Amino acid sequence: VVPQDGKGSALPRRPAQKRAEKEPKDLRGGGLPRGTVFVGPSVPQISEKYQRKRGGSSMRWLTLPIGAGQAGKPVSTLLRRELGLSAAGVRRAKALPGGILLDGTPVFTNAVARQGQVLAVDVGDAAGSEQIAPVPGPLTIVYEDQDLVILDKAGGVPVHPSQGHHGDTLANFLLAHYRDQGLTAAFHPVNRLDRGTSGLMAVAKHAHAHEGLQHQLQEGTLRRAYLAVCEGVPVPRRGCVEAPIARAPGSVLKREVNPQGAPARTHYEVLATGRGRSLVALRLDTGRTHQIRVHLAHLGCPLVGDFLYGEETEELPDRFALHSAAIWLRQPITGEGIVRRSPLPEALAGLLGGQ
């Protein structure tokens, strides 16, 4: 189940789906709409001494050949308008030894570029996540490139360290994976999943990619589809829950539908039923904390095994019946479309009695 097309169908139009499923082109092609972004072959040579200063393999270079349209403009303008850096991204690059180069020479952002030169900027992380220890553990990677990784998280695995979970989280496992690659990078989750939710989750490898993916999430071009098994059968079987969500009084964790809360909209469709339960496909127009859990409970059909909004069940130890089944996004540097899907776990499919 994917986001509705213009005719209101819950299914994708096949041509659009095929376009979205194309693998990204080589990172030297594609480019941003307002400039040509590629990894120039000369960058590793011109940056060796700065790599030694940084320590670790954390550099991620974006380069821009200066053409007639860019000549005469200050580096600060080119970084923002052509390479898409935010003001914070420019500040980060300025703080790195040799983080901004013109023809291999460090420059200030007020330097003026000449036609034929090559502007290079390092957008890699300067350090990892100091508060999160790299700990080897099970990690299912379904996509990875220089800028992001898409993980298929198991249900019951926390994303972040917290009380009682300091070395058994997705963050610990991923930072250990980075360490094994010789990569220095902090933990930059894009779409967060509750501990009890399984499925697809995007994580950026540096702050510049994280900013771009967060922008996609906010503007709705990074899309997610979920599968859930709930108690009962929602009425109607296909619809949209548009109900604001706020923190429940007296609770740090629990949320509730509240007219004074933040706007929240969830589209749903019942796909199958069995044992008094429903398999439901859902997509979100907003991303409020516990949104699917709260909205299904609001319909009188809480998730199976949801200890907070329904009832726990021995059928699902350490999790509830929610799965992030698909994710669509654009590669944050090249703009190429990426889509990944994850099948419904057997433990959730069995909740309907094999139907």
Side-chain angles (χ1 to χ4, degrees):
V1 175
V2 303
Q4 294 179 349
D5 61 23
K7 298 180 180 179
S9 170
L11 298 177
R13 292 174 287 187
R14 295 188 64 85
Q17 181 180 354
K18 289 182 179 179
R19 285 196 300 271
E21 288 184 339
K22 289 172 62 179
E23 293 291 338
K25 297 178 181 178
D26 184 88
L27 290 179
R28 301 183 187 210
L32 293 175
R34 291 179 290 182
T36 302
V37 181
F38 67 98
V39 180
S42 61
V43 169
Q45 287 75 37
I46 64 179
S47 63
E48 286 180 358
K49 63 180 180 180
Y50 305 115
Q51 181 72 62
R52 290 194 295 271
K53 287 183 180 181
R54 291 271 296 278
S57 177
S58 57
M59 290 186 170
R60 173 60 169 108
W61 289 99
L62 304 182
T63 61
L64 178 73
I66 305 302
Q70 293 88 27
K73 295 180 179 179
V75 166
S76 58
T77 298
L78 298 175
L79 293 175
R80 295 292 303 274
R81 296 184 180 178
E82 301 292 341
L83 292 179
L85 270 68
S86 65
V90 174
R91 289 195 296 270
R92 287 192 298 267
K94 289 169 63 176
L96 298 175
I100 304 172
L101 309 174
L102 263 179
D103 282 350
T105 301
V107 295
F108 294 108
T109 55
N110 61 354
V112 176
R114 301 190 307 272
Q115 186 170 355
Q117 290 186 308
V118 175
L119 173 64
V121 58
D122 182 6
V123 297
D125 281 350
S129 297
E130 296 181 358
Q131 303 301 319
I132 305 176
V135 179
L139 199 64
T140 301
I141 298 175
V142 299
Y143 177 86
E144 184 173 18
D145 63 24
Q146 297 179 71
D147 305 298
L148 79 147
V149 57
I150 300 177
L151 306 172
D152 197 340
K153 187 182 90 68
V157 176
V159 171
H160 290 278
S162 60
Q163 186 175 2
H165 296 280
H166 298 289
D168 60 349
T169 73
L170 204 67
N172 297 118
F173 304 156
L174 185 59
L175 292 185
H177 172 69
Y178 291 163
R179 181 190 60 191
D180 293 344
Q181 291 182 321
L183 175 67
T184 299
F187 184 58
H188 300 284
V190 179
N191 64 306
R192 302 167 187 267
L193 299 180
D194 294 331
R195 175 185 172 186
T197 303
S198 58
L200 301 174
M201 175 178 163
V203 181
K205 287 188 173 181
H206 50 80
H208 177 61
H210 187 256
E211 289 171 350
L213 291 168
Q214 281 290 316
H215 180 69
Q216 292 181 38
L217 190 63
Q218 292 166 5
E219 70 178 4
T221 55
L222 190 159
R223 298 172 292 169
R224 299 148 292 159
Y226 293 81
L227 292 172
V229 180
C230 66
E231 302 287 1
V233 180
V235 178
R237 293 173 66 99
R238 177 182 178 182
C240 175
V241 181
E242 191 162 3
I245 294 175
R247 190 187 304 272
S251 175
V252 175
L253 183 62
K254 192 173 184 179
R255 267 54 175 180
E256 66 177 9
V257 170
N258 187 317
Q260 305 304 315
R265 184 184 302 111
T266 304
H267 301 266
Y268 72 90
E269 181 178 0
V270 175
L271 302 180
T273 59
R275 295 178 57 193
R277 295 164 171 167
S278 301
L279 174 63
V280 184
L282 308 107
R283 65 177 178 87
L284 307 178
D285 286 347
T286 53
R288 308 304 174 199
T289 300
H290 298 176
Q291 180 171 321
I292 289 176
R293 301 167 66 184
V294 171
H295 277 176
L296 285 178
H298 182 64
L299 292 176
C301 301
L303 291 173
V304 175
D306 193 337
F307 68 95
L308 195 58
Y309 302 100
E311 295 182 359
E312 292 183 275
T313 174
E314 295 181 355
E315 297 173 277
L316 292 177
D318 300 323
R319 67 160 305 168
F320 40 79
L322 181 60
H323 182 67
S324 176
I327 188 169
W328 296 258
L329 55 85
R330 297 192 310 271
Q331 211 285 344
I333 304 300
T334 70
E336 291 290 325
I338 300 171
V339 60
R340 287 296 182 270
R341 292 183 172 84
S342 174
L344 186 70
E346 292 183 5
L348 271 60
L351 296 172
L352 300 177
Q355 296 190 19

